[in-house]
Amino acid sequence: MMNPNIVKTVLARRSALVEAHLESCLEDIHMPERLRMAMNYSLLAGGKRLRPVLCLSSASLFGLPETAAMPFALAIEMIHTYSLIHDDLPAMDDDDLRRGRPSCHRQFDEATAILAGDALLTDAFLFMASSGLNLGSGSPLPAGRVLAAIAEIAAAAGSSGMVGGQVLDMECTGQSHVPLDTLRSMHELKTGAMIRVSCTSGAILAGSSPQDTAALHRYGEALGVAFQIQDDILDVTGDTATLGKPAGSDAEEEKTTYPSLVGLDESRRLAAEYADKAASALAGYTGEDADFLRGLANLLVTRNH
Amino acid sequence: MMNPNIVKTVLARRSALVEAHLESCLEDIHMPERLRMAMNYSLLAGGKRLRPVLCLSSASLFGLPETAAMPFALAIEMIHTYSLIHDDLPAMDDDDLRRGRPSCHRQFDEATAILAGDALLTDAFLFMASSGLNLGSGSPLPAGRVLAAIAEIAAAAGSSGMVGGQVLDMECTGQSHVPLDTLRSMHELKTGAMIRVSCTSGAILAGSSPQDTAALHRYGEALGVAFQIQDDILDVTGDTATLGKPAGSDAEEEKTTYPSLVGLDESRRLAAEYADKAASALAGYTGEDADFLRGLANLLVTRNH
C-alpha cells in the first residue's frame, strides 16, 4: 500500500502537469477573442483534474509516457468542463456559482456559455484526432488505438452516457421517491461513464490487452461510484468554504442522494466498499502507477472537498 | 454539362439514401426515450441533406462506395442539426419555428433541446470513429484516413469554424454597418466551413491525393459562398410557404445580408460567379460524380427554396 502522502504528491504533480498544459492548449487555435475568454474562464477555474490524471496514470501503467497521452487528458477535461457549463445554464440547474466564482453564463452571457460549451466539446475531438496524425510535431500515436479511444470517449459522453444521464437526472429531480437502483443508473451515466473512460482510454492508447483494459474498466467503474457517494456525503457534512460550492444544496433542491436514501453511516460504508473494489480490480499490477491508482481510490473517499 | 434534370435526379436519389439511413441511425443506441425523441424530431425534420450528399458524392468521385462513406455523411448532418437546435434557443436567435414546425425547444423544452444538441454532436463523433474500427459489421475504413477526416470536421465545426462563426454573427447582429469583408468571414466560418469539409472529408476517406483534396476544398469553399448568397436572396424574393421559414426575416431582424449591402442584381451576379468558380475547381475531373458536383453548384444558385 502506497503511503497516502506519496499518493497526494503524485496526484499534485500530475494535476500540475495537466494544469500547465490546459493553460496554453487553446493558444494555437484561431478563434474570436470573446469565445477564447469564455472557454478559458471555465477551463482554468481549478478543480481536482481527477479525470485527466486518471487518463495519464492509466496510460503510464502500461508504459505510455504522460506527454503522449496528454491530448486525451486535456480533451477529457474539456468535455468535463463543457458539461459543467451546460449543466449550470438557467434552463438546466440554474447555478450562479461554480467553484466559488460566477458560472460561465453569469460571467459572460447565456449565448456565449452555450457556445463555449459547444466549442470545448468539439475542440476536444480535434485534440484527440490530431494526436494520431503526423503533423510534424512529435511522433503520432497509432491511429487504430486513437480511434478506439475516441469511440469509447464519445460513447461515454453522448446519448448513451453522460448526456443520457443528465436527461435521467432531470427526470428524477422533484420526484418524491427515487429508488437506489435508479439513482445508481443515473450516476453511472452522468458521472460514472466519463470517470471510467478516463481510465480505459489511457490504457487503450498505451496498447493494453483486452484483459488489461477490462481491469481498468472495473477499476474506473467502482471508483466512479465511490467518488459519487463521497460527493453526496460531503454535501451533507462539508462546509461551503472547503467545498467551493454551497454545502447542503442537494437537500435544498430536494435531490435524492445516497445519504438521503440510506443514511450517512451506510453511505460511508458503501463508499469504502467501492474504493476497496476499485483497488482490488488492480490487484495483479505492480509498480508506482498501480500503487498510485489503488491509493487514489482510498484517498478519494477520505477527501474533504 | 450534365442536364439539370439529371442533376436533380441524382440529388433526389442520394438525399433519399441519406434519409433512409438517418431514420434508423439512432436505433441501436441505448438512451432515454425522451432524448431519442428530441434527437429524432430535429434530425428527421426534412431539409435538402445537402452536406451529406456532398460527402457521399466527393467520396464516390474518388471511388469510395456511398455506403462506406455513410457514417460520415450521417455525422455531418447530425452536427448540422445540433447547430440548428442550439441556434434556435431563446438565448441565441430565439426562433419558434424551424422548417415549418415548432423548433426543438418549443416542441420539448429548453433543457431537452440543449441536451439533444449536445448528444447529436457527441454521437456524430462516435459514428465517425466507429467506421474505422473492426466491429464485425463490414470492413472498416483505413484508420489513418478516418482520423484525418475527423480532425478536419472537428476543426470546421469548433471554435475555429462554425461555433466561432456563430459568435461573430452574434457580434454583428444589431450593428448598423457590417462591411462586406466581415460578412464574408462570418459566413465562411458559420456555414462555409461545414459545407467545405463535407466535400473534403469524403475525398479524404476515399484516399484522395493532396492535390485532389485541395480541388475539393476550392469547390466546397466557392459552393459555400454561392449557397449563402442565394439564401440571402431567397429571404428577399421567396415566399414563406416555399421557403418553409418566414420570408423577409433577415430585414425584420436587421441582419446585414448580401442584398442589403450590394443590392439584388449584384447579389445574383455574385452567386452565379461563385457557382462558376466551384464548377471550375473540378474542371479536370470526368465521370458522373464530377458532372453531378459541377451541376449541383449551378442548381443551388437557381433554386427557389
Side-chain angles (χ1 to χ4, degrees):
Chain A
M1 190 69 160
M2 190 182 251
N3 178 319
N5 286 327
I6 303 183
V7 176
K8 280 184 194 166
T9 306
V10 177
L11 175 60
R13 188 182 62 71
R14 287 204 163 130
S15 296
L17 186 68
V18 168
E19 200 66 42
H21 279 82
L22 281 173
E23 273 166 21
S24 60
C25 74
L26 302 179
E27 251 173 27
D28 293 339
I29 305 182
H30 185 76
M31 68 172 95
E33 270 320 300
R34 184 177 173 78
L35 180 59
R36 189 192 308 277
M37 281 170 59
M39 290 168 78
N40 272 329
Y41 176 81
S42 293
L43 196 56
L44 305 178
K48 287 174 285 290
R49 312 305 188 191
L50 171 67
R51 293 158 192 79
V53 167
L54 286 170
C55 177
L56 297 183
S57 306
S58 303
S60 179
L61 177 63
F62 298 106
L64 188 72
E66 291 164 343
T67 46
M70 190 57 80
F72 273 78
L74 299 177
I76 286 168
E77 190 67 8
M78 288 163 79
I79 293 173
H80 177 57
T81 303
Y82 118 76
S83 77
L84 300 180
I85 295 176
H86 282 192
D87 278 9
D88 285 344
L89 287 168
M92 310 270 275
D93 290 351
D94 196 12
D95 275 322
D96 288 346
L97 284 178
R98 166 69 62 182
R99 291 181 180 138
R101 304 192 309 164
S103 46
C104 191
H105 67 275
R106 297 291 298 174
Q107 180 70 16
F108 296 88
D109 55 60
E110 228 181 298
T112 305
I114 294 169
L115 292 168
D118 292 345
L120 283 166
L121 172 59
T122 315
D123 290 2
F125 285 98
L126 174 61
F127 282 19
M128 292 189 274
S130 300
S131 75
L133 297 174
N134 197 339
L135 304 172
S137 54
S139 57
L141 291 166
R145 291 186 199 167
V146 171
L147 271 188
I150 291 178
E152 290 278 315
I153 289 172
S159 61
S160 60
M162 186 174 65
V163 176
Q166 179 65 13
V167 172
L168 292 184
D169 192 15
M170 283 165 42
E171 289 174 352
C172 287
T173 302
Q175 277 191 28
S176 56
H177 182 73
V178 179
L180 189 60
D181 277 3
T182 309
L183 186 71
R184 196 168 295 165
S185 315
M186 185 272 283
H187 285 317
E188 203 175 290
L189 296 177
K190 189 179 167 176
T191 55
M194 282 303 295
I195 290 178
R196 174 175 46 71
V197 87
S198 300
C199 304
T200 51
S201 61
I204 290 169
L205 289 176
S208 61
S209 70
Q211 291 75 11
D212 287 336
T213 310
L216 267 289
H217 184 111
R218 288 194 303 276
Y219 169 81
E221 196 164 55
L223 192 79
V225 179
F227 183 80
Q228 184 61 51
I229 299 174
Q230 185 65 12
D231 233 38
D232 284 1
I233 292 172
L234 286 174
D235 191 74
V236 180
T237 63
D239 60 272
T240 303
T242 316
L243 289 179
K245 63 183 176 184
S249 63
D250 289 343
E252 200 172 299
E253 292 165 20
E254 296 181 2
K255 285 210 172 187
T256 303
T257 65
Y258 280 91
S260 78
L261 269 187
V262 299
L264 258 181
D265 286 347
E266 173 66 3
S267 297
R268 286 201 180 99
R269 197 194 62 74
L270 277 171
E273 184 182 306
Y274 277 97
D276 284 347
K277 208 171 159 180
S280 306
L282 300 184
Y285 298 90
T286 55
E288 199 196 61
D289 290 307
D291 287 343
F292 169 69
L293 286 167
R294 281 188 293 258
L296 185 60
N298 188 52
L299 184 69
L300 285 180
V301 295
T302 53
R303 69 197 162 98
N304 65 355
H305 66 280
Chain B
M1 190 69 160
M2 192 183 251
N3 178 318
N5 285 325
I6 303 183
V7 176
K8 281 186 193 166
T9 306
V10 176
L11 176 59
R13 187 181 63 71
R14 286 202 164 130
S15 297
L17 186 67
V18 168
E19 200 66 43
H21 279 82
L22 282 173
E23 273 167 22
S24 60
C25 74
L26 302 179
E27 249 173 30
D28 293 339
I29 306 182
H30 185 76
M31 69 173 96
E33 272 317 303
R34 184 176 173 79
L35 180 58
R36 189 192 308 276
M37 279 170 60
M39 291 168 78
N40 271 330
Y41 176 81
S42 292
L43 196 56
L44 305 178
K48 287 175 285 288
R49 312 305 188 190
L50 171 66
R51 293 159 191 78
V53 167
L54 286 170
C55 177
L56 297 184
S57 305
S58 303
S60 178
L61 177 63
F62 297 106
L64 188 72
E66 292 164 343
T67 47
M70 190 57 79
F72 273 77
L74 298 177
I76 286 169
E77 190 68 7
M78 288 162 81
I79 293 174
H80 176 56
T81 302
Y82 118 77
S83 76
L84 300 180
I85 295 175
H86 282 192
D87 278 8
D88 285 344
L89 287 168
M92 310 272 275
D93 290 351
D94 195 12
D95 276 322
D96 289 346
L97 283 178
R98 168 68 63 183
R99 291 182 181 139
R101 306 192 308 165
S103 47
C104 191
H105 67 275
R106 295 293 295 175
Q107 180 71 17
F108 296 89
D109 56 59
E110 229 181 297
T112 305
I114 293 168
L115 293 167
D118 291 346
L120 283 166
L121 173 59
T122 316
D123 291 2
F125 285 97
L126 175 60
F127 282 19
M128 291 189 275
S130 301
S131 74
L133 297 174
N134 197 341
L135 304 172
S137 55
S139 56
L141 291 166
R145 291 185 200 168
V146 171
L147 272 188
I150 290 177
E152 290 277 315
I153 288 171
S159 61
S160 61
M162 185 173 66
V163 176
Q166 179 66 14
V167 172
L168 293 183
D169 192 15
M170 283 165 42
E171 289 173 352
C172 288
T173 303
Q175 276 190 28
S176 56
H177 181 73
V178 178
L180 189 59
D181 277 3
T182 309
L183 185 72
R184 197 168 294 164
S185 315
M186 184 273 282
H187 285 317
E188 204 175 289
L189 296 176
K190 189 178 169 178
T191 56
M194 283 302 294
I195 290 179
R196 175 175 46 70
V197 87
S198 300
C199 304
T200 51
S201 61
I204 290 168
L205 289 176
S208 61
S209 70
Q211 290 77 11
D212 287 336
T213 310
L216 268 289
H217 184 112
R218 288 195 302 277
Y219 169 81
E221 197 162 56
L223 191 80
V225 179
F227 183 80
Q228 185 59 52
I229 300 175
Q230 185 65 11
D231 234 37
D232 284 2
I233 292 172
L234 287 175
D235 191 74
V236 180
T237 63
D239 60 273
T240 303
T242 316
L243 290 178
K245 64 183 175 186
S249 63
D250 289 341
E252 201 172 299
E253 292 166 20
E254 296 180 2
K255 286 212 170 182
T256 303
T257 64
Y258 281 90
S260 78
L261 270 186
V262 299
L264 259 182
D265 285 348
E266 174 65 4
S267 297
R268 286 200 179 100
R269 196 193 64 74
L270 278 171
E273 185 181 306
Y274 277 97
D276 283 349
K277 208 172 159 179
S280 305
L282 300 184
Y285 298 89
T286 54
E288 199 197 61
D289 289 307
D291 287 344
F292 169 68
L293 286 167
R294 281 189 293 258
L296 185 61
N298 187 54
L299 183 69
L300 285 181
V301 294
T302 52
R303 70 196 162 99
N304 65 356
H305 66 281

